[in-house]
Each structure stands twice: as C-alpha cells, then as structure tokens.
C-alpha cells in the first residue's frame, strides 16, 4: 500500500498492484506535509500545515487520534522500528519524541533555533538523524536525549535523510542539488550523487540496500547504485517530484509530485 498526502488537506491510500485508490482520509484542515506508517502497517501517522499530528487506524474505526504538540507546520514524522516512539519535526524549531497515542508530554531534543525539515531512524532504533534548514544534519541518541554528532556538507536546506537498511550509511538530499552519503558510524563523507539540476527533495534506499532512489524539483526520479554510480533516470512528471519510496519487495518505486499525481515505476520483476 502507498499513502500520499496533499495540499488539498487529504490523504489517499493506493493499491500498488492495481494503482487504484482504496481509501481517502479526511481530517486535516490544511495541507499534509508528512506521513509515516506504523512499523506493523496497522496505522498511519500524518502531520501538516495545521500543526497537528493525526494517527489513523487502517482497519475498523477510521477516526484518527489528534495530537497537538507543535506550534508551526509539522514537516516530518518517523517511527522507531519497534513502534515505541514517534519522532516529529517542525518549523517551530522543535524535534519531539513521544509514545504513539500516549497522553504524556513528549520529550524535546531541540537545542537550536533552526527549523527541522526531515527525520530518519537508524534501523537499530537508538539513533535518529534530523535535517535542518541551515544545511546541517544532527545525529541524536534518543535514549539518552543527547547529540552524537553533526554532519556538515550541504549548502542549502536538507530536504531528506535516509539510513541504509543495514544502518551503515546515511544519505542526505538538499537544495544544493546533491545527495551526500555519510559513514553513519564515523560521520565522514563516503559518496556524492550528482545529476539533478534542481533541489533534491527526497532520498530513499531499496529494502536490500543495493539501490538509491531520489526525487527532485527537476521533475525526475533517479536511480543510483549504493556506491553512488548513476543507474537510470525516470521521467514523466510534469512538475517537481516531492517524495519517493520503494515498495517492500523493492521492485517498484512510488513518486509523488506537484503535478498532483502519484506514479508507480516498475524497476525490476517481483522476486
């Protein structure tokens, strides 16, 4: 299943096999900017311009639980692998950690007056990467609530961060039209992906960690080897690509665009 959020305030769920919509979730009062599936796939978290986070059950009663923890747009959401924590980032310069659905106040990792744009949990669940508008990336220890290190390599907004499934490499994408690959353990730069000619808005890894997919305001989706070598350019969107994601089997890439479409790209035969 693929989920897409829109400036029309709605969320739509799509069947990957048929490409047809299967549900429409309504409740946000302004555009939806962030989505994250609960690790077991039973629910979906959404955040957006209305400053709220909504937790949607994907079976039974569709009424969402509304969480109000931010004072500005919610730009990013990420679940820890075991589902015990939901991280949220906002233009209010806060990065908050809370138990999904709990009433207790979330913990804050905010240490600077810089808006948070994107988040990604390390596969092991203890580390969280956050990208900021000032071009920096911070790695946090969520158990100890402390900063581990900062990565500096972008000259513009960091739009997307994503850990390789084995946790060894962190990919970051930004307004400087580049994707940087970092050694997650040491913080050193180990690769650079260049080819997009406008801001790179989204980066993601295939489930086996062998392929990277990126989306850009230049209207294209690009596929790369894990080493950083270019593989393929996927063209078809009429406006900028805002988000990309792999299906669980790794055979299909979904891309969402400002042209109001979601496209499904078959990049290899199902295994």
């Amino acid at each position: 299943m693929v989920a897409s959020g829109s400036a029309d305030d709605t969320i739509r769920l799509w069947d990957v096999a048929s490409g047809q919509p299967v549900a429409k979730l309504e409740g946000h009062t302004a555009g939806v900017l962030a989505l994250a599936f609960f690790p077991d796939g039973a629910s979906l978290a959404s955040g957006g311009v209305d400053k709220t986070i909504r937790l949607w059950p994907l079976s039974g009663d569709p009424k969402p639980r509304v969480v109000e923890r931010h004072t500005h747009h919610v730009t990013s959401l990420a679940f820890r692998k075991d589902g015990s924590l939901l991280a949220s980032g906002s233009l209010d310069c806060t990065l908050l950690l809370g138990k999904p659905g709990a009433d207790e106040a979330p913990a804050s990792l905010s240490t600077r007056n810089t808006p948070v744009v994107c988040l990604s949990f390390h596969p092991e669940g203890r580390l969280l990467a956050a990208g900021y508008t000032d071009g920096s990336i911070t790695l946090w220890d969520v158990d100890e609530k402390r900063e581990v290190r900062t990565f500096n390599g972008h000259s513009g907004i960091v739009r997307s961060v994503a850990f390789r499934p084995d946790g060894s490499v962190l990919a970051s994408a930004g307004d400087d039209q580049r994707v940087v690959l970092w050694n997650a353990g040491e913080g050193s730069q180990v690769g650079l992906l260049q080819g997009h000619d406008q801001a790179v808005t989204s980066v993601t890894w295939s489930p086996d960690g062998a392929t990277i997919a990126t989306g850009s305001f230049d209207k294209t989706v690009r596929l790369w080897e894990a080493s950083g070598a270019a593989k393929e350019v996927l063209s078809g969107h009429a406006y900028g690509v805002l988000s990309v994601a792999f299906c669980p089997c790794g055979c299909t890439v979904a891309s969402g665009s400002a042209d109001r479409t979601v496209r499904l790209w078959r990049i290899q035969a199902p295994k």
Side-chain angles (χ1 to χ4, degrees), residues 4-7 201 215-221 236-244 254-263 265:
S4 62
S6 172
T201 57
S216 169
F217 284 151
D218 67 11
K219 310 175 190 177
T220 69
V221 175
H237 282 292
Y239 292 99
V241 177
L242 305 177
S243 183
V244 291
S255 57
S257 167
D259 65 10
R260 299 186 293 181
T261 69
V262 175
R263 291 178 180 259
W265 310 85

Side-chain angles (χ1 to χ4, degrees), residues 9-67:
D9 312 345
T10 69
I11 300 161
R12 293 177 188 265
L13 304 179
W14 308 83
D15 177 72
V16 174
S18 67
Q20 296 300 307
V22 296
K24 180 179 179 181
L25 306 179
E26 297 179 288
H28 281 286
T29 58
V32 179
L33 301 177
L35 296 172
F37 279 105
F38 194 80
D40 65 4
S43 59
L44 177 73
S46 62
V49 178
D50 65 5
K51 311 172 191 176
T52 69
I53 298 169
R54 294 171 189 260
L55 304 175
W56 306 83
L58 298 182
S59 60
D61 184 0
K63 185 178 180 180
R65 176 185 177 89
V66 180
V67 179

Side-chain angles (χ1 to χ4, degrees), residues 213-234:
T214 57
S216 169
F217 284 151
D218 67 11
K219 310 175 190 177
T220 69
V221 175
R222 290 177 180 257
L223 302 179
W224 315 77
E225 301 284 357
S227 64
K231 290 179 64 174
E232 189 174 357
V233 180
L234 306 176

Side-chain angles (χ1 to χ4, degrees), residues 40-103:
D40 65 4
S43 59
L44 177 73
S46 62
V49 178
D50 65 5
K51 311 172 191 176
T52 69
I53 298 169
R54 294 171 189 260
L55 304 175
W56 306 83
L58 298 182
S59 60
D61 184 0
K63 185 178 180 180
R65 176 185 177 89
V66 180
V67 179
E68 297 182 1
R69 57 165 71 164
H70 289 286
T71 59
H72 210 313
H73 301 4
V74 179
T75 56
S76 49
L77 296 167
F79 281 104
R80 185 147 75 170
K81 187 177 181 178
D82 63 3
S84 63
L85 286 176
L86 174 63
S88 59
S90 170
L91 295 186
D92 65 11
C93 304
T94 63
L95 169 53
L96 302 179
L97 296 170
K99 296 179 180 179
D103 292 326

